[in-house]
Amino acid sequence: WIIQSWMFFTATGIWPQDQIKAYLSGVDDKSMLVLDLWADGNALYRQTHNFYGKGFLWCELGNFGGQSGMNGVMYTLMNGPVEASE
């Protein structure tokens, strides 16, 4: 399974931590990959204890919200993936 983490961010009212954990626990850890799509802006892996043991990818959307230019905080773009792997 590959899922996007958007729903946990955009609907926080229906996705408190216990609900996220329950949802993710429905699939074996080795059978699911979570895309942390806005990790450079709001790293959900930090809030969910690395998605409760699921594999995840640190993602950065260069064209977020209709922006056509590449921009971001260089420190975060360089160090975010490294910090996530620790």
Side-chain angles (χ1 to χ4, degrees):
W1 293 90
I2 299 176
I3 67 166
Q4 299 178 358
S5 62
W6 280 122
M7 63 186 165
F8 305 137
F9 175 73
T10 60
T12 54
I14 33 180
W15 288 106
Q17 292 303 312
D18 59 334
Q19 290 294 101
I20 295 172
K21 186 176 183 177
Y23 180 81
L24 295 176
S25 69
V27 177
D28 180 63
D29 287 352
K30 294 182 181 185
S31 298
M32 180 180 281
L33 180 66
V34 182
L35 303 178
D36 197 355
L37 290 175
W38 195 27
D40 60 314
N42 186 3
L44 289 177
Y45 76 88
R46 291 183 182 139
Q47 300 168 33
T48 59
H49 308 284
N50 295 332
F51 293 104
Y52 301 103
K54 301 297 185 247
F56 70 94
L57 293 177
W58 190 98
C59 302
E60 183 273 332
L61 295 177
N63 187 5
F64 183 67
Q67 298 174 5
S68 58
M70 291 292 289
N71 56 53
V73 178
M74 188 59 69
Y75 178 87
T76 302
L77 297 176
M78 291 174 50
N79 295 301
V82 175
E83 291 171 5
S85 67
E86 296 174 343

